[in-house]
Amino acid sequence: MKIRVAEAADWPAIWPIVRTVASAGESFTFPLDIGEDFARECWMLTAPGRTVVAVDDAGTVLGTAKMNPNHMGPAAHIASASYMVAPEHAGHGIGRALGEYTIEWARAEGYRAMQFNAVVQTNVRAVALWRSLGFTVIGTLPEGYRLPDGTYTGLHIMHRPL
């Protein structure tokens, strides 16, 4: 697997991942019926942000991440990132590789920490992954996320110094 900067030509392979993950309603705060133009605008970042793809030897996009300053101005030294892995490739270390890549990117860019603003509490695989990469839950917004079955769960704010 290789991680590289995403190009405009990658969007047709990224879009189905974004659409599938968003419409599942289990891990992202995107609209469930997200439109392609809005998704592209949200996901395909330019500097100071960056969007990357994880690809296999054949060039198939397995997952993607975007990283960016979490805030502007005097708080622009804190990075954030978001990740999506194609469901058929979940559980094969792609999320971990993307997480490690974004941490190294943020460190190289001079950020002092990373903060995730909305990790769905019931997304136990993601919470465990981020904890294993040094993130801690610094707060939880109670009932901040409505699950597909209509119940509510918390949104974790997770942090990691760099």
Side-chain angles (χ1 to χ4, degrees), residues 146-162:
R146 186 170 43 106
L147 294 164
D149 67 3
T151 62
Y152 291 86
T153 190
L155 283 175
H156 289 322
I157 300 165
M158 299 187 79
H159 173 267
R160 182 193 194 284
L162 297 173

Side-chain angles (χ1 to χ4, degrees), residues 11 13-35 39 43 61-66 82-91 94-95 98 118-120 123 125-126 130 145-148:
W11 180 250
I14 296 170
W15 165 233
I17 297 170
V18 173
R19 184 181 57 230
T20 299
V21 171
S23 68
E26 296 175 349
S27 59
F28 252 82
T29 60
F30 285 167
L32 300 182
D33 61 349
I34 192 168
W43 201 261
V61 174
L62 309 171
T64 180
K66 66 179 183 115
S82 299
Y83 313 85
M84 292 189 183
V85 174
E88 64 272 21
H89 298 293
I94 297 159
L98 288 166
V119 180
V120 178
N123 189 353
R125 286 177 62 179
W130 305 139
Y145 193 86
R146 186 170 43 106
L147 294 164

Side-chain angles (χ1 to χ4, degrees), residues 18-81:
V18 173
R19 184 181 57 230
T20 299
V21 171
S23 68
E26 296 175 349
S27 59
F28 252 82
T29 60
F30 285 167
L32 300 182
D33 61 349
I34 192 168
E36 184 174 2
D37 291 341
F38 178 70
R40 185 183 307 109
E41 181 181 327
C42 290
W43 201 261
M44 299 297 285
L45 303 183
T46 57
R50 176 182 283 184
T51 302
V52 297
V53 289
V55 298
D56 66 13
D57 291 339
T60 302
V61 174
L62 309 171
T64 180
K66 66 179 183 115
M67 62 281 298
N68 50 273
N70 195 29
H71 301 287
M72 297 181 282
H77 60 282
I78 307 299
S80 190

